Amino acid sequence: MQTHAAQPGQWIGYVISTVIVVVVLAIRMRGMKRTRPLRLETLWVIPAIYAVFAAVMFMQFPPGRLGWLFSGLALLVGSALGWQRGKMMRITVDAETHKLNQQTSPAAMLFIVVLIGVRFAARDLLAGSGAYSLHLSTMLITDVLIALAVGLFATTRLEMYLRARRMLAAARAPVTA
């Protein structure tokens, strides 16, 4: 059985990645204290960009049968994770103006950090002899991650849209005694 010792350059990569993640998280955590306007009419934009990107990637480099299966499963997993992440987002309606606001919750941020951690762990696991013994290709892994991202972002926004629309309808409904 082969074991792979960490190379000096590999540790530098880990340190740089960790520093970047910590800086980005610090910036995002500061921004989480503010509420931002939530515009229902623009929630579709980010998922649409990812969907177009995914479609282009799948058309240029179509996966095989196993790739389609794994990508479909990743889309379902991403959708389930996205729905949970969407539920973690705080949405409020101003009682007087009926304007929607959103605030990222710390739980939603932690959720993304955990996903990043899982991705790094999977990369390290597959970087050893794991990927070769499982006969996984880089393109297959890329396809799966793209499908996961599309499911995650699309259903996060879908859940937010449906919940915000219900909240807005309730706020606009006439008050009956």
Side-chain angles (χ1 to χ4, degrees):
M1 176 175 216
Q2 269 185 323
T3 58
H4 295 279
Q7 299 172 356
Q10 191 174 16
W11 289 108
I12 292 171
Y14 288 139
V15 170
I16 291 172
S17 297
T18 302
V19 168
I20 290 171
V21 167
V22 167
V23 168
V24 168
L25 285 176
I27 292 169
R28 290 289 296 166
M29 293 298 263
R30 279 187 28 202
M32 284 176 34
K33 295 175 183 163
R34 293 187 308 259
T35 59
R36 297 180 317 193
L38 175 63
R39 295 180 32 210
L40 292 179
E41 62 274 4
T42 61
L43 282 176
W44 64 272
V45 174
I46 297 295
I49 290 169
Y50 276 93
V52 167
F53 172 74
V56 168
M57 289 297 293
F58 285 128
M59 285 188 327
Q60 281 186 332
F61 308 104
R65 286 185 199 161
L66 194 59
W68 284 116
L69 173 68
F70 286 149
S71 295
L73 291 173
L75 183 67
L76 291 174
V77 169
S79 296
L81 294 173
W83 192 265
Q84 291 303 315
R85 182 171 181 264
K87 287 172 43 175
M88 292 179 200
M89 298 292 187
R90 293 184 190 135
I91 299 174
T92 58
V93 180
D94 186 297
E96 294 176 12
T97 64
H98 296 154
K99 298 233 182 212
L100 290 164
N101 294 304
Q102 73 174 6
Q103 184 178 11
T104 304
S105 74
M109 181 61 68
L110 181 62
F111 192 74
I112 291 295
V113 171
V114 168
L115 287 177
I116 291 170
V118 167
R119 187 230 178 251
F120 276 116
R123 181 186 72 178
D124 290 344
L125 177 69
L126 295 174
S129 60
Y132 300 113
S133 65
L134 294 173
H135 303 290
L136 297 177
S137 71
T138 305
M139 287 306 295
L140 176 62
I141 294 168
T142 302
D143 291 343
V144 166
L145 291 176
I146 288 171
L148 183 83
V150 168
L152 180 79
F153 292 124
T155 56
T156 295
R157 299 295 180 105
L158 177 63
E159 194 284 332
M160 290 173 65
Y161 173 81
L162 294 173
R163 186 163 39 104
R165 196 176 68 178
R166 280 192 312 268
M167 292 172 70
L168 193 55
R172 288 180 176 161
V175 179
T176 57

